[in-house]
Amino acid sequence: MKKPMKPPSLISLKKALSLDRAAIRELHKTYLNAGLVTMLSLLDFDRPFVRAQGVSVWDREGREYLDFLGGYGAVNLGHNHPKVLEAIEMARGMPNLLQASLGALPAALAHNLALITPGKLERSFFCNSGAEAVEGALKLARIATGRQGLIYCHNAFHGKTMGALSVTGREKYQDPFRPLIPHCNPVPFGDAEALEKALKPRQAAAFIVEPIQGEAGIILPPPGYLQKAWELCRHYGTLFIADEVQTGFGRTGYLFACEAEGVEPDIMCLAKSLGGGVMPIGCYITTDEVWKKAYGSLEKSLLHTSTFGGNAMACAAALAAIEAIFEENLVERARETGSYLMEGLQRLQERFPLLKEVRGRGLMVGVEFNPQAGLASKVTLGLADKLAKEYTASLVAGELLNRYGIITAYTLNNPNVIRLEPPLVVTREQVDRLLQALEDILERHRSFTSIAATGAKTVIRSLFRRR
């Protein structure tokens, strides 16, 4: 008889919860993304947080931080919303994954989404993330129309899986993985004339667009652009896909951002806050007409599936999240608090030339800075200049985190823009704390040489501390 296998030296959950900062960093360096560890460590962004509630998170020393990043739009309800946690507990004990059955919770969630989404959107497909929702939407458009072409916008961000990456408008992310999906053509965001030119050959299955470009630096379209784009798509037989992964569920002061112009998409992609900031869940929702063309027959019904899509706990979280958005009037709160935030930022912009532009809608706001060339410093051996040119917003974000306890981040396609996307439950008092912190930073650093030097000092301290 064989001896029982000796168990490996596993890290238990209890031990994992007690790991210190150095141990966490070392595990990430060895078993996850070492480059990311280096990036986060340089500006002290690698600190572990141990508790979160609403807009606040706490580190091991008990220091409270305000989360103005909000999971890139995934934490609209705030961290660990009690209604969402209660819903998951209610679903505990149900079969979470049982594919040879029809679940009650995905059925209820699909019904609710059909009620709250614009136009004739009716049939949902559940998955696990925004990128998966985009993948499914692109496939849906191709099979429903019989066309291959896909049109997207410069500087768009729709995800990093192969199909989503093919319609993500930044070469930095695309080039290492070419060849991508064929027949994907970019057009300038906000240019209806360029879009019509791309649509005229009638080869495009879909035009996919963010109602507000998030990773491009919180870029709003020109007034009337979305409606014109929607009308052009209808004229040329191309499906209009609204990517509301980041803008959906009240973020912009509308339940869905495309409603600002009365647009009724053929397909809408959802994720992030659909799971209440607790569970991963994504979805695309489409019209009955489009769905039937794509998957309406028995032989086509299993052409696109997801093992974890529509699992009970994720759907329970989503059901509770949607209820909470309405019960707590979060759409209106986002609109009102967002206006208050924008007004405060615009006052700062009038006083400080280093603020190039403030833009956004609701609680989806971008603050763009004026990076200045020629900031090289002998003290930092040119590091200050490099940081200012390439990581302007990161330097300000580092100041906000380390000195003021406010969590922010720059946008992926424009590193000079800080995104402000706090949970929609954020208060005016918490907004005031952010505004005061930014004012203090701008008062102390009248030129970006000073900010860059401060960031460089943080980098140098970090490097010495890790030796």
Side-chain angles (χ1 to χ4, degrees):
M1 184 177 180
K2 290 185 178 181
K3 294 182 179 179
M5 182 183 298
K6 183 180 180 180
S9 299
L10 301 175
I11 299 174
S12 68
L13 172 59
K14 183 177 180 179
K15 184 175 181 181
L17 292 172
S18 65
L19 290 172
D20 62 23
R21 185 174 181 175
I24 294 170
R25 186 187 305 120
E26 192 59 35
L27 288 169
H28 273 267
K29 284 178 65 175
T30 305
Y31 300 107
L32 291 164
N33 190 333
L36 181 61
V37 173
T38 300
M39 180 187 296
L40 294 178
S41 298
L42 287 177
L43 289 173
D44 266 357
F45 270 69
D46 63 339
R47 68 194 65 205
F49 296 101
V50 297
R51 187 164 67 90
Q53 187 65 54
V55 184
S56 297
V57 296
W58 289 265
D59 63 18
R60 282 216 171 89
E61 286 69 45
R63 183 185 181 189
E64 180 186 6
Y65 299 75
L66 294 184
D67 181 5
F68 269 75
L69 180 57
Y72 307 107
V75 194
N76 286 8
L77 273 66
H79 291 277
N80 293 319
H81 193 287
K83 187 179 183 72
V84 176
L85 296 180
E86 180 185 6
I88 294 171
E89 190 61 34
M90 289 173 64
R92 201 175 301 279
M94 295 181 65
N96 194 44
L97 295 171
L98 186 56
Q99 307 301 345
S101 177
L102 296 176
L105 301 191
L109 178 57
H111 167 271
N112 292 357
L113 287 171
L115 290 182
I116 67 173
T117 49
K120 298 180 180 179
L121 296 175
E122 180 177 337
R123 292 187 179 265
S124 291
F125 174 85
F126 295 119
C127 51
N128 308 285
S129 69
E132 286 184 61
V134 168
E135 293 282 342
L138 298 178
K139 290 176 65 179
L140 176 74
R142 280 188 165 183
I143 191 174
T145 63
R147 299 177 178 182
Q148 294 186 0
L150 299 167
I151 302 173
Y152 65 100
C153 291
H154 293 301
N155 290 319
F157 186 87
H158 298 291
K160 293 178 182 174
T161 53
M162 192 60 77
L165 181 61
S166 300
V167 294
T168 285
R170 192 179 182 193
E171 291 182 355
K172 174 181 178 179
Y173 302 124
Q174 291 184 327
D175 285 348
F177 303 101
R178 295 189 188 278
L180 299 171
I181 304 300
H183 311 298
C184 295
N185 303 303
V187 296
F189 182 65
D191 188 336
E193 186 176 334
L195 174 61
E196 183 169 19
K197 184 178 180 180
L199 290 168
K200 273 186 176 179
R202 297 181 184 269
Q203 298 298 312
F207 169 55
I208 183 167
V209 65
E210 302 159 273
I212 297 174
Q213 286 194 322
E215 302 305 332
I218 317 299
I219 306 298
L220 278 67
Y225 168 71
L226 292 177
Q227 187 175 68
K228 180 64 175 177
W230 174 47
E231 291 170 353
L232 287 171
C233 286
R234 293 174 68 183
H235 178 75
Y236 290 104
T238 296
L239 299 180
F240 185 100
I241 303 176
D243 182 344
E244 294 260 10
V245 169
Q246 189 170 165
T247 55
F249 298 106
R251 170 58 52 187
T252 67
Y254 294 85
L255 189 57
F256 301 101
C258 64
E259 294 176 321
E261 292 192 13
V263 172
E264 298 178 2
D266 300 294
I267 310 169
M268 180 183 284
C269 298
L270 304 169
K272 292 191 184 292
S273 276
L274 177 58
V278 178
M279 295 295 292
I281 180 171
C283 164
Y284 72 71
I285 183 168
T286 188
T287 65
D288 184 60
E289 179 184 4
V290 171
W291 178 268
K292 284 180 177 175
K293 287 180 180 178
Y295 304 123
S297 64
L298 184 62
E299 59 270 21
K300 292 182 178 180
S301 62
L302 295 178
L303 287 181
H304 187 71
T305 57
S306 171
T307 299
F308 282 86
N311 70 80
M313 289 190 181
C315 289
L319 287 164
I322 292 171
E323 285 186 9
I325 287 169
F326 285 96
E327 290 172 356
E328 299 178 23
N329 199 23
L330 293 186
V331 176
E332 183 64 27
R333 287 175 65 178
R335 187 181 302 125
E336 292 178 354
T337 310
S339 295
Y340 181 76
L341 171 60
M342 286 287 290
E343 289 168 4
L345 292 170
Q346 287 164 353
R347 286 194 297 270
L348 293 178
Q349 183 186 2
E350 292 171 1
R351 293 174 53 199
F352 300 102
L354 291 177
L355 288 187
K356 179 179 179 181
E357 189 176 0
V358 175
R359 52 184 179 262
R361 183 179 294 154
L363 284 169
M364 185 175 182
V365 176
V367 179
E368 185 164 2
F369 294 90
N370 271 317
Q372 298 176 359
L375 299 178
S377 166
K378 293 181 181 179
V379 175
T380 59
L381 301 177
L383 182 57
D385 187 48
K386 180 177 176 61
L387 288 170
K389 289 179 180 178
E390 299 184 14
Y391 304 105
T392 308
S394 294
L395 298 174
V396 178
E399 281 268 286
L400 286 171
L401 176 69
N402 296 314
R403 185 181 287 264
Y404 299 96
I406 298 174
I407 302 168
T408 59
Y410 63 87
T411 54
L412 286 178
N413 289 352
N414 188 341
N416 291 326
V417 176
I418 279 185
R419 69 193 325 141
L420 300 175
E421 298 185 47
L424 308 187
V425 297
V426 68
T427 65
R428 289 195 174 196
E429 290 75 19
Q430 291 167 328
V431 169
D432 286 338
R433 181 171 156 186
L434 168 77
L435 293 171
Q436 185 61 58
L438 281 172
E439 182 177 9
D440 289 350
I441 291 171
L442 294 168
E443 284 280 9
R444 286 188 297 105
H445 302 291
R446 286 290 178 171
S447 77
F448 242 95
T449 303
S450 176
I451 294 180
T454 298
K457 289 175 184 176
T458 302
V459 170
I460 292 169
R461 284 198 303 269
S462 299
L463 292 173
F464 277 106
R465 187 169 58 246
R466 284 152 179 73
R467 287 184 178 179

